[in-house]
Amino acid sequence: MSGLAWAQIGAVNAGDTAWMLVSSALVLLMVPGLALFYGGLVRRKNVLSTIMHSFFGLALVSVVWVIVGFSIAFAPDATGTGLFGGLDFVMFNNVGLEPASGSTIPFVLFAAFQLMFAAITPALITGAFAERKRFASFVIFTVLWSVFVYSPIAHWVWASDGWLYQLGALDFARRCGAITVGVTSNPRSPLARRFSSTVPALRPRGPMVSCHGRPIRSMSANFAPARSSRSS
């Protein structure tokens, strides 16, 4: 749905709102699952820092999303070419309990649901630099990546004035092959392969921890509904 649609007010449906609240919680549950999964694959001295990457990333992206990320992703297009949204929703301005035209959930709930995907994606990337990046570098990277990579691409495929949406793109965010989540977090794989060829094999601290984290993440991904760029 385009940010252009949020100017009009629709009617809130209690069932739809409840389901979206549950769905947002299920996507959020992927964060601790991913934290445990990655935490069990590193050495003992790096377990806490690796787990912290996922949880601190959630907090950091939440702040960035409220300040400017959501506006870049879902505000009316600022360029006329479908590249990124304007500043209509900066600091969650005009983001309230009223639903959009054609929508049955509060606008702020829609923003929160989209935040969950924005937060899990950089958490996926942390697997590429586990044990190899300073915390300050991680913070700077996450902020810049969220603003200049994730939010514009979300606008391309999830806003009706995005250029990929206009071409008929369908993006179901819960699948790893999705455009927005899958493509923007994909550097984790080639980077991991690159570094793994230059360092000796390291024995993981807790394979059983990873075994607990993986089902949590998978369960959340499978039960949370897909967010299509053409769904209401």
Side-chain angles (χ1 to χ4, degrees):
M1 276 178 284
S2 168
L4 297 172
W6 300 114
Q8 300 177 359
I9 299 177
V12 173
N13 181 282
D16 292 345
T17 300
W19 174 239
M20 289 303 298
L21 286 170
V22 172
S23 301
S24 300
L26 287 172
V27 180
L28 178 62
L29 187 60
M30 295 172 64
V31 174
L34 188 68
L36 291 174
F37 178 65
Y38 283 162
L41 296 177
V42 297
R43 291 173 293 177
R44 175 180 295 183
K45 67 177 184 178
N46 294 314
V47 171
L48 288 180
S49 64
T50 301
I51 291 176
M52 183 178 64
H53 282 156
S54 295
F55 285 102
F56 188 84
L58 169 63
L60 185 61
V61 172
S62 297
V63 174
V64 173
W65 188 250
V66 170
I67 295 175
V68 71
F70 180 70
S71 188
I72 294 175
F74 291 100
D77 191 75
T79 64
T81 57
L83 293 180
F84 55 86
L87 302 179
D88 301 60
F89 302 143
V90 166
M91 299 297 295
F92 264 26
N93 184 40
N94 299 318
V95 178
L97 296 177
E98 297 81 9
S101 175
S103 174
T104 57
I105 63 173
F107 190 19
V108 68
L109 176 56
F110 171 81
F113 180 61
Q114 291 294 341
L115 165 62
M116 299 301 104
F117 291 106
I120 191 63
T121 314
L124 290 169
I125 300 176
T126 60
F129 52 76
E131 303 187 305
R132 302 181 183 96
K133 180 177 287 190
R134 293 182 181 274
F135 183 75
S137 301
F138 158 73
V139 171
I140 295 171
F141 167 80
T142 301
V143 171
L144 294 178
W145 178 91
S146 180
V147 172
F148 295 106
V149 179
Y150 182 87
S151 294
I153 294 180
H155 183 79
W156 298 355
V157 298
W158 282 341
S160 61
D161 48 9
W163 70 274
L164 283 178
Y165 184 98
Q166 295 292 335
L167 293 178
L170 285 174
D171 183 10
F172 293 91
R174 75 176 185 182
R175 297 304 179 192
C176 291
I179 299 171
T180 310
V181 177
V183 172
T184 58
S185 67
N186 197 50
R188 70 187 188 276
S189 298
L191 284 176
R193 288 195 296 269
R194 175 184 175 186
F195 283 115
S196 64
S197 64
T198 60
V199 297
L202 302 175
R203 188 177 184 85
R205 169 65 181 89
M208 288 305 298
V209 176
S210 295
C211 290
H212 283 83
R214 178 64 181 180
I216 295 174
R217 178 180 175 273
S218 298
M219 177 189 69
S220 303
N222 288 329
F223 282 95
R227 171 68 177 102
S228 169
S229 59
R230 298 186 181 277
S231 63
S232 58

